[in-house]
Amino acid sequence: AYSILTLSIMLIAYQLKNYETTISNFLRSFSDKVSLSVNIGILVILLLYIYLPFFNKLANTSPLSIKWWLFILLFAFIAVLPFDIFKK
C-alpha cells in the first residue's frame, strides 16, 4: 500500500503541472534536472525501504516480487487515470 501511495503521489504531481496528460508531463520531466533528481531520490528511498533487511524488520514487511510491482504500477496509474480523463 505504501508503494502504491508513493508512486500515485508522484504521478499526481505530474498530473497537476498543466493541462497535458500525466505521461507526457512525466516524460518531459527528464529534461528538468531538479524534478528528475527528486524523483530518483524518492524511488531509491522506496526501494531501500522495501529491500533492506533493517527496514523489513522495522516495518514488518518483505521484499516484493515482479508480480507485485506490476500490480503496484497498475494501481498507481489507475489512481491518476480519472484526472486525465476529465482533463480532456
Side-chain angles (χ1 to χ4, degrees):
Y2 180 73
S3 302
I4 295 171
L5 179 64
T6 303
L7 293 177
S8 295
I9 289 172
M10 283 177 54
L11 290 174
I12 287 172
Y14 286 109
Q15 197 276 331
L16 294 174
K17 277 188 168 184
N18 58 27
Y19 288 106
E20 296 179 16
T21 63
T22 303
I23 300 300
S24 64
N25 285 333
F26 177 73
L27 294 175
R28 190 174 306 112
S29 75
F30 288 113
S31 63
D32 181 12
K33 299 207 187 274
V34 173
S35 178
L36 181 64
S37 61
V38 167
N39 287 325
I40 289 174
I42 290 170
L43 290 175
V44 166
I45 290 170
L46 178 64
L47 291 173
L48 290 175
Y49 184 76
I50 292 171
Y51 290 105
L52 283 181
F54 170 75
F55 290 117
N56 291 154
K57 290 178 184 175
L58 184 68
N60 196 22
T61 61
S62 62
L64 300 173
S65 67
I66 294 294
K67 178 181 83 170
W68 285 109
W69 276 111
L70 292 174
F71 282 128
I72 289 168
L73 290 173
L74 174 70
F75 288 126
F77 280 114
I78 288 173
V80 297
L81 185 63
F83 296 107
D84 279 343
I85 290 172
F86 290 115
K87 247 185 182 181
K88 297 176 182 184

